[in-house]
Amino acid sequence: MKKSLVLVFGALFLFGMAHAAVTVEAGGKTTKYENGQTVRVNAAEDTVVNYNGVEIFVPAGEAVVIAQSSDGSVLLSGNNMSGVTVNGAAVRSTGRAVVAVSGSTLSVRTGSVSVNNQAVAAGSSVNM
């Protein structure tokens, strides 16, 4: 009986970890979050966030908020972002900006953003 309970709880734990779609890696540690959770990164050291397959690198000293939009895209917001990469594309902002990432498309919701040194205005999209 005890072995069965241990196996059931172990299986539930592994099942839950397998379905965590958000991971944050910083300082050699990996933290997992439930799908759809908002992640606030105030990077004291370089941090990599994998949010539903979108990889976001946040260098030390930057602060961003990463969340899921109601349409399923990944939202990234920050103020004067510099050194941030999204799926390998360099994203910079002047002032406050919010971008949405869906597949290989980055759409600017608000603010002024450059993606790989290409200016992208609010309401516009670019393929990364």
Side-chain angles (χ1 to χ4, degrees):
M1 180 71 171
K2 288 182 183 181
K3 286 183 184 180
S4 296
L5 285 175
V6 169
L7 288 175
V8 168
F9 283 111
L12 288 173
F13 175 75
L14 289 175
F15 180 76
M17 293 302 281
H19 284 84
V22 180
T23 59
V24 177
E25 296 178 31
K29 290 181 172 181
T30 300
T31 306
K32 297 183 182 213
Y33 296 92
E34 289 295 321
N35 190 19
Q37 257 188 303
T38 298
V39 176
R40 292 174 188 354
V41 178
N42 194 354
E45 55 197 352
D46 291 350
T47 303
V48 176
V49 178
N50 189 312
Y51 202 109
N52 291 343
V54 175
E55 186 175 283
I56 302 166
F57 171 78
V58 183
E62 289 294 311
V64 297
V65 177
I66 305 164
Q68 186 171 3
S69 177
S70 60
D71 65 4
S73 61
V74 176
L75 296 176
L76 169 67
S77 61
N79 193 29
N80 296 320
M81 290 183 281
S82 178
V84 175
T85 62
V86 178
N87 288 340
V91 177
R92 298 178 59 94
S93 73
T94 303
R96 179 113 176 103
V98 178
V99 299
V101 180
S102 181
S104 62
T105 303
L106 184 141
S107 303
V108 180
R109 299 251 172 121
T110 60
S112 176
V113 176
S114 75
V115 178
N116 290 334
N117 295 319
Q118 175 184 355
V120 184
S124 299
S125 299
V126 65
N127 284 324
M128 298 182 292

